[in-house]
Amino acid sequence: LSTQLQADPWYDPRYSIPLFGMILGNTMTGVSLGLNTLSSQVSRERSSIEAQLALGEPFGRAIRPLLRRAARSGLIPTVNAMAAVGLVMLPGMMTGQILSGVDPVEAIKYQMLVMFLIGGGTGLGVIAAIQLGAYRLTDERHRLRLDRLAPAKE
């Protein structure tokens, strides 16, 4: 980050706020898609998960395919954006830099940096969120707790 931006200091708000905004915005999208997929899949596959648990499988192994689907679902928008950047679409940051007179090669370097940061942030966020979501859907006795998905009754 600091090698490409060459900001002194690296946390200068004029650089850090837009970068962290782009990273967090994309990460939140991935996390929400991953958790939505996880919760809907667990609700749909409840009988299968409970059958595996009754046969002695640990909760982590019983829910593993659903975690993979949730992670894949959460990463789809980021992977699609990374595949299309530069070929089909020109992102706003890169286009703005080119229009302002920055060398296109430098603008492409910035955009590559931002896309890698978004990909890494989204990947870490999605994996952490679905792991925590799966942890929340079980208890200390490895029972499926779908009651935790429902809103609290007042």
Side-chain angles (χ1 to χ4, degrees):
L1 178 64
S2 62
T3 60
Q4 179 61 33
L5 294 179
Q6 299 171 354
D8 187 33
W10 67 268
Y11 52 85
D12 186 11
R14 116 181 135 156
Y15 296 107
S16 61
I17 291 174
L19 283 173
F20 289 131
M22 288 185 275
I23 294 166
L24 288 176
N26 285 285
T27 299
M28 286 174 27
T29 300
V31 165
S32 64
L33 286 171
L35 288 175
N36 182 48
T37 301
L38 178 66
S39 62
S40 65
Q41 291 288 319
V42 168
S43 296
R44 186 178 305 130
E45 302 284 333
R46 177 183 189 160
S47 59
S48 171
I49 295 168
E50 288 180 340
Q52 291 178 47
L53 293 173
L55 292 171
E57 287 288 334
F59 184 77
R61 185 172 292 162
I63 201 170
R64 187 176 298 152
L66 305 180
L67 293 176
R68 286 187 185 139
R69 280 187 232 148
R72 187 177 301 122
S73 172
L75 291 172
I76 284 174
T78 302
V79 172
N80 285 344
M82 290 178 85
V85 168
L87 297 174
V88 179
M89 68 170 194
L90 294 174
M93 187 191 79
M94 187 169 78
T95 304
Q97 285 184 328
I98 292 171
L99 290 175
S100 70
V102 173
D103 181 33
V105 174
E106 287 299 311
I108 291 168
K109 287 180 185 178
Y110 278 107
Q111 188 61 47
M112 286 176 53
L113 172 73
V114 168
M115 291 309 295
F116 287 137
L117 289 172
I118 288 172
T122 303
L124 290 173
V126 167
I127 298 301
I130 62 173
Q131 289 293 331
L132 289 171
Y135 176 76
R136 182 78 176 129
L137 291 173
T138 188
D139 61 10
E140 64 279 349
R141 294 176 60 194
H142 295 276
R143 294 179 296 185
L144 187 60
R145 298 290 307 267
L146 290 184
D147 58 314
R148 295 178 178 174
L149 287 177
K153 295 180 183 175
E154 296 178 16

